[in-house]
Amino acid sequence: MSNRFQRRTGRFWAGFGFAVLLTVLILLALLCDPEVQSRLPWNQSRAPETQAEGELTVYFLDVGQGDAALLRSAGATMLIDGGPRDHEDNLLADLEERGVDHLDYMVATHPHEDHIGGLPGVMEQIAVEECWMPEDAADTWTYTHFLEALETHDVAVAVPQPGDTISFGSCTVTVLAPLSGAEEHNNNSLVLRVVCGETAFLFTGDMEDAEERELLGSGADLSADVLKVAHHGSRYTTGMEFLRAVSPEVAVISCGAGNEYGHPHSALLQRLDYLEIKTYRTDQMGTVVIISDGRTLSVTTEQEVTP
């Protein structure tokens, strides 16, 4: 090989290296530009799913041994409970995936950790207009942290009463309970009935027998096409009389796989089966999504269960 060829080769690689270095510097400069960063796919939240007029979409989110349900209708958003603190990251990821950057309403059905543990994290990431909660306090770090987050993020707090009604997107939300101040937090759960056209959803928090009996005796309209089963499918709630009064087509149980409480209890599952109520479980199916067009329901699940 001649010295002349070697010199030319050396100049080629020197030039090539300079071009590569220049390209890298330009790319780094572009990546440092906030406008360019905002357009990168990994820095973009997924756009909210489109909805037809009059639709209600309810996501029964998989938050382990806890409750969290996201409701969307005509641009309005509501989060009922936020699961336990140890599933906060999962909850936030679910909300981000669905493009949620604002909540009109956040509902804390009662002050137990498996329902409010993830809510302070939500307030850190998402603007919340108003929080609904019962007049029921708990002497726990979780509840104190929750109250501090409400104050820090300047979230308006409301204590709704039975009979209160609001318009929510294309729907109507009515508060059914708590009807009286029980000593046990579960029986002070906020109970909400959401009506979309000719369909209805009933959200029951962790209410047990005592609150259930009060509701049955109140004369309130409990009928619903979809029932969020109370207290993760505990044996101490969702009795036969209550199920007949609600007469749901679909029941959703939010609980964690292999939980230490044995939820859902076999006796409850037998009642649901006896009444031929189609049952969905987040411990087996992951997030359950139910869409109402005001007349009919469609249900999809994150995972399929093999018979």
Side-chain angles (χ1 to χ4, degrees):
M1 182 182 295
S2 70
N3 290 334
R4 181 181 177 186
F5 183 78
Q6 287 177 337
R7 286 196 296 273
R8 287 180 177 176
T9 303
R11 286 197 297 270
F12 169 77
W13 285 112
F16 178 76
F18 177 76
V20 170
L21 177 62
L22 182 62
T23 302
V24 170
L25 290 174
I26 292 172
L27 286 173
L28 287 174
L30 287 171
L31 289 172
C32 289
D33 187 329
E35 184 176 350
V36 173
Q37 284 188 338
S38 68
R39 295 178 182 178
L40 295 174
W42 53 84
N43 285 333
Q44 293 182 9
S45 294
R46 179 176 162 185
E49 291 97 336
T50 57
Q51 284 186 307
E53 185 177 354
E55 276 191 353
L56 168 66
T57 304
V58 180
Y59 307 84
F60 295 92
L61 301 171
D62 180 11
V63 290
Q65 183 62 18
D67 265 20
L70 172 67
L71 285 67
R72 308 181 90 154
S73 179
T77 52
M78 174 184 288
L79 179 67
I80 301 179
D81 289 328
R85 189 172 178 226
D86 62 7
H87 273 69
E88 180 183 290
D89 290 344
N90 302 60
L91 173 63
L92 292 172
D94 279 339
L95 296 177
E96 181 181 9
E97 180 185 353
R98 291 170 174 85
V100 178
D101 58 8
H102 174 271
L103 289 171
D104 296 285
Y105 299 97
M106 182 177 74
V107 180
T109 60
H110 64 294
H112 279 162
E113 195 273 341
D114 57 336
H115 289 251
I116 66 169
L119 294 181
V122 170
M123 288 182 270
E124 286 283 346
Q125 301 294 329
I126 295 172
V128 179
E129 289 293 323
E130 184 171 292
C131 176
W132 289 8
M133 53 196 293
E135 195 169 357
D136 186 16
D139 185 18
T140 62
W141 178 89
T142 298
Y143 185 67
T144 300
H145 182 49
F146 168 63
L147 295 181
E148 290 172 348
L150 289 170
E151 183 175 0
T152 298
H153 299 287
D154 197 26
V155 178
V157 175
V159 180
Q161 301 300 311
D164 287 354
T165 300
I166 64 161
S167 294
F168 172 74
S170 303
C171 309
T172 300
V173 180
T174 301
V175 178
L176 302 184
L179 294 160
S180 62
E183 292 184 6
E184 211 284 318
H185 296 310
N186 286 344
N187 284 313
N188 273 328
S189 291
L190 281 174
V191 176
L192 307 179
R193 185 171 182 262
V194 181
V195 175
C196 174
E198 299 172 7
T199 65
F201 292 66
L202 190 63
F203 297 88
T204 55
D206 268 4
M207 74 170 186
E208 295 182 338
D209 294 345
E211 189 170 13
E212 195 172 290
R213 289 194 299 271
E214 282 192 324
L215 268 177
L216 285 168
S218 70
D221 185 359
L222 302 178
S223 63
D225 302 275
V226 178
L227 170 66
K228 198 291 296 183
V229 173
H231 201 181
H232 322 289
S234 164
R235 68 183 300 172
Y236 303 110
T237 190
T238 318
M240 190 65 79
E241 184 181 0
F242 183 77
L243 283 172
R244 292 188 188 280
V246 178
S247 189
E249 174 185 339
V250 170
V252 180
I253 302 173
S254 182
C255 62
N259 66 83
E260 61 183 300
Y261 309 102
H263 295 158
H265 196 272
S266 58
L268 166 68
L269 295 175
Q270 288 169 10
R271 290 194 288 271
L272 295 170
D273 183 62
Y274 178 80
L275 295 175
E276 298 182 341
I277 299 168
K278 180 64 175 176
T279 302
Y280 296 86
R281 297 168 47 173
T282 61
D283 62 328
Q284 295 181 338
M285 303 171 180
T287 293
V288 179
V289 183
I290 303 181
I291 299 176
S292 167
D293 62 6
R295 297 181 304 278
T296 60
L297 303 174
S298 65
V299 183
T300 58
T301 60
E302 190 175 11
Q303 303 167 24
E304 292 186 6
V305 176
T306 304

